[in-house]
Every structure is written in structure tokens, then in C-alpha cells.
Amino acid sequence: MQSYAAPARALVARMTEAARAAPERAVAYQGAPGANSHVAANQALPDGLPLPCFSFADAVEAVLSGAAGCGIIPIENSLHGRVADMHFLLPESGLVIVGEHFLPIRHTLMGLGRLEQVTQATSHEQALGQCRRWLAERGIAPVAYADTAGAAALVAETGDPSLAALAPPGAAELYGLNVLASDIADAAHNTTRFVILAREANGGRVEGPAMTSLVFEVKNVPAALFKALGGFATNGVNMTKLESYQRDASFTASEFFADIEGQPGDVAVDRALDELRYHSKWVRLLGSYPRARERG
């Protein structure tokens, strides 16, 4: 609780108490009240009780411990790429992806004075990256913080008109700040994809179009990745995302995160996964869930 700036603490305490009274309805998210993840939680699970957590690890732990029935976590952004650490945290958490949600991102610059007084802007590094050109053109230096709305609470606490925050529009009202500039992302298509995490899958097959997320490590032999992915092509399974990452800053074989259309139980998907397993050291399915939007 004390990790949050003072203006956010009363809101966090109130929301935490409500979630504690009905943990099965609680939706853990990373950030202070008013963060984009808070907005996503309200949109994706309108009957839930958003539970603010200071870090991604805290949000995952809330779900694992039963303090929350599920969690909602950003995994990638259309402008700034993947959210740091999520490709490591997800597989190791033991949680299952049971849904996804896409949130259009519209950043607002907010502070205590006027725009011409601002020399620094603080926010989550993802938000700063999504607005880097806008800030650079105005000579405003970026300052990383744990989350967007938490940065707004920090600005309110400091009382410094030269420091502003990049946060969702609703955070200005929550923390008594002035809106200095609206809709300032570097591109209009700025969208963040969130995944919904639970301790267990919903059970049964996904009705309608489905997505499946997985991670794997190929064998350290020539053309291993080409061979491992060949089954998806020959069986007509569309892979909508493939991203490599390395653990512990090492130069060992890369691991891969992938999204495919379909789900285990589909004949084509089962055949493709069998071939992937044959050419990989290991394969871990992270979950199958309803597709929130068509890829293309």
C-alpha cells in the first residue's frame, strides 16, 4: 500500500476492501486506480471488482493466492511492442489465459500548472515510449514510473507544476489535476492487448473462434525452427504471432512465444502441435480462449 503515492492510497484501500469481501469477483491488475489496466478491467469484466496491485508480480500473486478470481495483464502494444517481463512471468506463473481484450490507448498529459511550465513527464515506460516524439518535439524529458495513474498520483503529491503525468483521462479527475493536452499518442492506432488470467481454465472447448497461446524452445540443431513451424503451414493453422526471447541475458537457444488460431481438439491444431513437440525441447500451452478480434 505504501508504495503508492499518497493521493492514491485511500482509493486503493477502498477497492482492496471491496475485493476482500468478494474475492471471486476481484480482478487483479497492475497500477493505481485510473490506470489503463483499470479501464481494461472495467471494460472486459464489468461485473468484476478491480483490485489494484503495485507490480505485475503482485497481480499474478493475487490470483494465485485466491485474493482475486482472475487478473488482467497487458501483454503487447501496437506502437511499443511487448510489455517487458510478461513473456517470462506468464509461463512461470502457472496461471492460464482464459480471455483477451483490446484497449485503444488515448494518453492525456496532466499536471498542476500550464503546459508551457512542464519540463518533465512521468509515466509507465510503455506510455512514454508511445508518446516519445510528441514529448521530444516540446522539449519534455521522460521520467519512468511504475504505472500511468500512479504517476498522476505522484504529480498531485509533489505539487510541482514543472512535472506532469501521462495517464488515461479519468486519472485527472481522480487526482485533481489539470488536463494540459489530450490524445497525444504518436499514432492513432495505438492499442494495447490484455490477457485475462485465472488459476484454472474455464473447462470445455471455447465456443466460436478461438486463440491459443504457447511458449516453446526448439532443439539446438540446424533449421530447427523451420522444421518446428512446418506443421502449422502444412495443416493450415494460422500463426498470428511469433516472438523470440532469451532468458537471463544469455546467448543460449531462444525461447518463443506464439499465438495461433484454433485450439487443441481441432484436428489441424493437434497435428501441428505434435510436430512442434517433435522438433522442440519442450512446449507449454498457456491457454485457449475466445478471440476478441479478427487478426489480419
Side-chain angles (χ1 to χ4, degrees):
M1 179 75 71
Q2 299 306 314
S3 297
Y4 291 98
R9 290 175 196 157
L11 292 170
V12 171
R14 192 180 313 136
M15 295 168 69
T16 301
E17 188 63 29
R20 188 176 293 122
E24 70 283 354
R25 292 178 55 205
V27 182
Y29 72 90
Q30 185 273 330
N36 281 309
S37 293
H38 186 185
V39 176
N42 284 333
Q43 290 184 2
L45 300 156
D47 294 328
L49 297 171
L51 172 63
C53 302
F54 191 74
S55 70
F56 289 126
D58 291 341
V60 167
E61 178 57 32
V63 182
L64 286 171
S65 69
C70 65
I72 188 164
I73 300 291
I75 190 169
E76 60 183 322
N77 175 266
S78 61
L79 280 182
H80 204 56
R82 76 183 182 202
V83 176
D85 297 333
M86 290 315 303
H87 288 57
F88 304 111
L89 191 59
L90 275 177
E92 295 171 355
S93 70
L95 298 178
V96 180
I97 301 177
V98 297
E100 65 176 356
H101 181 73
F102 290 84
L103 178 70
I105 304 298
R106 298 293 179 263
H107 293 299
T108 298
L109 189 73
M110 55 191 70
L112 293 165
R114 302 183 307 277
L115 177 58
E116 54 268 27
Q117 294 176 281
V118 175
T119 59
Q120 294 182 313
T122 183
S123 193
H124 190 275
E125 60 182 358
Q126 281 273 332
L128 294 171
Q130 293 158 21
C131 302
R132 61 184 181 275
R133 288 198 299 271
W134 192 94
L135 295 172
E137 288 169 358
R138 290 157 182 81
I140 299 174
V143 179
Y145 193 70
D147 78 280
T148 54
L154 177 67
V155 169
E157 182 179 53
T158 63
D160 182 359
S162 70
L163 179 66
L166 279 173
E173 182 176 355
L174 281 177
Y175 301 113
L177 300 177
N178 303 323
V179 172
L180 307 180
S182 299
D183 200 15
I184 62 174
D186 289 339
H189 62 73
N190 189 9
T191 301
T192 294
R193 179 191 177 208
F194 291 79
V195 291
I196 300 169
L197 305 175
R199 289 184 297 280
E200 297 178 352
N202 292 326
R205 285 178 57 79
V206 174
E207 296 295 329
M211 299 293 298
T212 297
S213 295
L214 59 139
V215 288
F216 62 94
E217 181 181 345
V218 296
K219 296 176 181 178
N220 191 19
V221 296
L225 182 60
F226 174 80
K227 295 174 183 176
L229 298 183
F232 295 97
T234 57
N235 288 285
V237 176
N238 188 26
M239 180 173 286
T240 63
K241 180 180 179 64
L242 178 67
E243 189 168 5
S244 65
Y245 60 100
Q246 292 177 318
R247 291 182 180 273
D248 304 321
S250 68
F251 292 97
T252 58
S254 292
E255 297 176 12
F256 295 87
F257 178 97
D259 290 327
I260 61 172
E261 293 184 341
Q263 59 188 311
D266 297 345
V267 174
V269 171
D270 287 343
R271 288 175 176 168
L273 290 175
D274 284 344
E275 192 159 343
L276 176 65
R277 291 186 181 100
Y278 181 80
H279 293 289
S280 299
K281 292 182 179 179
W282 53 263
V283 177
R284 188 175 305 159
L285 300 182
L286 300 179
S288 298
Y289 46 91
R291 187 180 69 190
R293 68 156 59 168
E294 187 173 352
R295 270 57 167 183

